[in-house]
Amino acid sequence: MAEVKLINIGKTYDGGNVAVSEVNIEIHDKEFLVLVGPSGCGKSTTLRMIAGLEDISFGELYIDGKLMNNIPPSERDIAMVFQNYALYPHMTVFENMAFGLKIRKYKKSEIEERVHYASDILELKDLLHRRPKELSGGQRQRVAVGRAIVRKPKVFLFDEPLSNLDAKLRVQMRTEISKLHSRLNSTMIYVTHDQTEAMTLGDRIVLMKDGFIQQIDTPLNIYNYPLNSFVAGFIGSPSMNFIEGTIKNNGALRFISDDKSMNIPIPNIILQHIEKCVDREIIFGFRPESVQLSEVNDKSEFQFQSDIILVEPMGFEIAIYFLINGKHMTARLAQSEISGNYKNRKFNILPNKFHFFDKESGLKIY
């Protein structure tokens, strides 16, 4: 397989519209890397530059140590799986999977060997004689993946391959792609806007916004140690809760919010990071699973009182919505934790799960 390196890669369209800015990524051999972010963030454009389907405006792209900027797509030894499957409707499954090899003048015996190998992996053996219209969405996607496998490329590229599938099929295909990576032991680059796909599939995640990389790290590190408020809010479902306020020093450092002057004492472990932020506007963040319901008054001052305004059952877990200073907050609890009435409930926020961000820059303070 191969390493892929993007060095200061960028894409500018006619009219000066910058789609991707100075992207630097080193994708290791046999790694599963996921590019994730909201629509229009530049992730698909970055993937298409790797594939050669978009020209690189500036920067350098290397695959297996070879500069690829001016190499045509057909000579980059990559295979791409598209969102819309891109199958030929008049061809059978076998013919669709074999088509790229026939174009390259492979021997018939080798074509059959490769197609049957891929069909065994993807459980398509009984479908080789069918045409795409006779297949389900999940089966069509497996055919598209099989067409990539028979190429035996150095790098697999996936451009939102599951977005056309229903929820159950997405989960199933996500598992299949993960198993496929383990079995092929290959380099894979995967684009999605779904943070759940990113968290479950990637060895590392590249989170993008407005053409810029916000953070590159393992899924757990991005979740637990976000570098800025955008990353913190994008990764996680339900998303992180945010409250704006100011750090004040009234004999002790405290976070003060508006309206009801919510007053949060700063845990000792955070003090050295927060001292420089006195009188600055910051954002206090905490994840829904950091919230606990309490039946007793807690004098630690990490406790807040609010009506529960909405409950969303999610099977074993539930999401509950409440207010702090008039702002909607979310907690994620086990179903067994919610009982009694919804009026004037007490909420504790675990102090070791606090996050603080600078309001102006969005960067993590702690």
Side-chain angles (χ1 to χ4, degrees):
M1 293 302 158
E3 290 185 338
V4 180
K5 291 184 180 181
L6 289 75
I7 302 175
N8 293 323
I9 290 287
K11 177 66 180 179
T12 303
Y13 290 106
D14 294 341
N17 178 33
V18 179
V20 176
S21 299
E22 297 182 9
V23 165
N24 288 278
I25 311 172
E26 184 172 337
I27 303 157
H28 308 308
D29 185 32
K30 303 175 184 177
E31 181 177 22
F32 197 126
L33 186 93
V34 178
L35 300 172
V36 67
S39 297
C41 72
K43 56 188 184 295
S44 288
T45 302
T46 301
L47 191 78
R48 290 173 65 82
M49 285 191 287
I50 296 172
L53 303 178
E54 291 277 3
D55 291 333
I56 297 170
S57 300
F58 51 88
E60 296 176 334
L61 168 69
Y62 293 89
I63 297 178
D64 208 14
K66 183 179 179 181
L67 182 65
M68 290 287 164
N69 288 48
N70 298 313
I71 302 298
S74 60
E75 297 177 24
R76 295 192 181 193
D77 202 4
I78 55 95
M80 191 162 179
V81 179
F82 296 92
Q83 177 180 350
N84 61 356
Y85 319 135
L87 302 178
Y88 295 105
H90 64 286
M91 293 183 181
T92 64
V93 169
F94 182 96
E95 290 167 339
N96 266 285
M97 292 171 67
F99 184 73
L101 301 180
K102 287 182 179 179
I103 293 252
R104 291 168 177 79
K105 309 295 185 183
Y106 279 77
K107 293 181 180 178
K108 183 178 179 180
S109 58
E110 185 170 1
I111 291 174
E112 291 183 352
E113 180 184 340
R114 290 194 182 198
V115 170
H116 285 295
Y117 170 74
S119 65
D120 282 343
I121 292 175
L122 297 167
E123 299 180 1
L124 292 171
K125 286 186 68 173
D126 296 333
L127 305 177
L128 292 177
H129 64 286
R130 295 190 187 181
R131 287 181 167 79
K133 68 179 181 180
E134 303 174 85
L135 305 176
S136 68
Q139 289 169 336
R140 291 179 193 177
Q141 192 56 272
R142 294 211 306 274
V143 175
V145 173
R147 185 174 52 192
I149 291 174
V150 299
R151 294 270 309 280
K152 296 185 178 179
K154 289 181 177 178
V155 182
F156 288 87
L157 307 179
F158 295 85
D159 190 7
E160 304 206 39
L162 309 185
S163 59
N164 288 336
L165 305 180
D166 62 41
K168 184 176 180 180
L169 267 179
R170 281 202 303 272
V171 174
Q172 179 183 334
M173 282 301 299
R174 202 167 67 212
T175 302
E176 292 303 318
I177 289 173
S178 184
K179 290 194 297 186
L180 182 66
H181 177 249
S182 298
R183 183 163 181 175
L184 297 179
N185 209 16
S186 55
T187 305
M188 293 185 174
I189 306 171
Y190 187 103
V191 161
T192 181
H193 64 274
D194 186 330
Q195 55 99 8
T196 301
E197 282 183 30
M199 291 289 289
T200 53
L201 284 173
D203 296 323
R204 287 189 301 157
I205 294 174
V206 178
L207 181 51
M208 298 184 68
K209 178 190 177 188
D210 299 333
F212 291 91
I213 291 177
Q214 302 296 305
Q215 187 168 350
I216 305 177
D217 213 327
T218 63
L220 286 180
N221 279 347
I222 281 188
Y223 186 82
N224 291 320
Y225 309 108
L227 293 182
N228 58 49
S229 56
F230 172 77
V231 174
F234 189 87
I235 296 294
S237 181
S239 61
M240 184 179 285
N241 300 297
F242 295 113
I243 304 172
E244 295 181 2
T246 308
I247 295 294
K248 293 291 184 181
N249 189 349
N250 300 321
L253 291 179
R254 307 176 86 82
F255 173 80
I256 310 294
S257 188
D258 56 6
D259 296 341
K260 298 180 182 178
S261 294
M262 183 183 66
N263 197 336
I264 303 177
I266 310 298
N268 290 333
I269 192 172
I270 301 178
L271 285 177
Q272 60 180 328
H273 303 276
I274 294 291
E275 285 175 338
K276 59 186 177 183
C277 298
V278 172
D279 295 328
R280 274 169 55 185
E281 291 187 322
I282 65 170
I283 299 171
F284 166 52
F286 58 95
R287 294 204 178 276
E289 62 270 25
S290 302
V291 181
Q292 297 177 332
L293 276 172
S294 177
E295 300 297 331
V296 299
N297 289 320
D298 186 348
K299 296 181 180 180
S300 69
E301 299 186 72
F302 294 106
Q303 188 174 83
F304 308 92
Q305 194 161 312
S306 170
D307 294 343
I308 296 174
I309 57 177
L310 180 66
V311 174
E312 287 184 342
M314 302 167 67
F316 173 75
E317 292 183 327
I318 56 172
I320 65 172
Y321 297 84
F322 60 102
L323 297 176
I324 292 181
N325 286 5
K327 298 178 178 65
H328 287 84
M329 302 289 145
T330 311
R332 193 171 72 187
L333 306 169
Q335 198 172 55
S336 58
E337 293 182 64
I338 183 70
S339 60
N341 65 59
Y342 291 176
K343 297 292 184 181
N344 294 320
R345 298 303 300 265
K346 301 178 182 67
F347 297 87
N348 291 333
I349 302 175
L350 301 176
N352 62 331
K353 300 295 184 179
F354 286 0
H355 298 264
F356 288 95
F357 306 91
D358 180 78
K359 182 179 177 180
E360 183 177 354
S361 67
L363 295 176
K364 179 77 175 284
I365 298 169
Y366 180 85

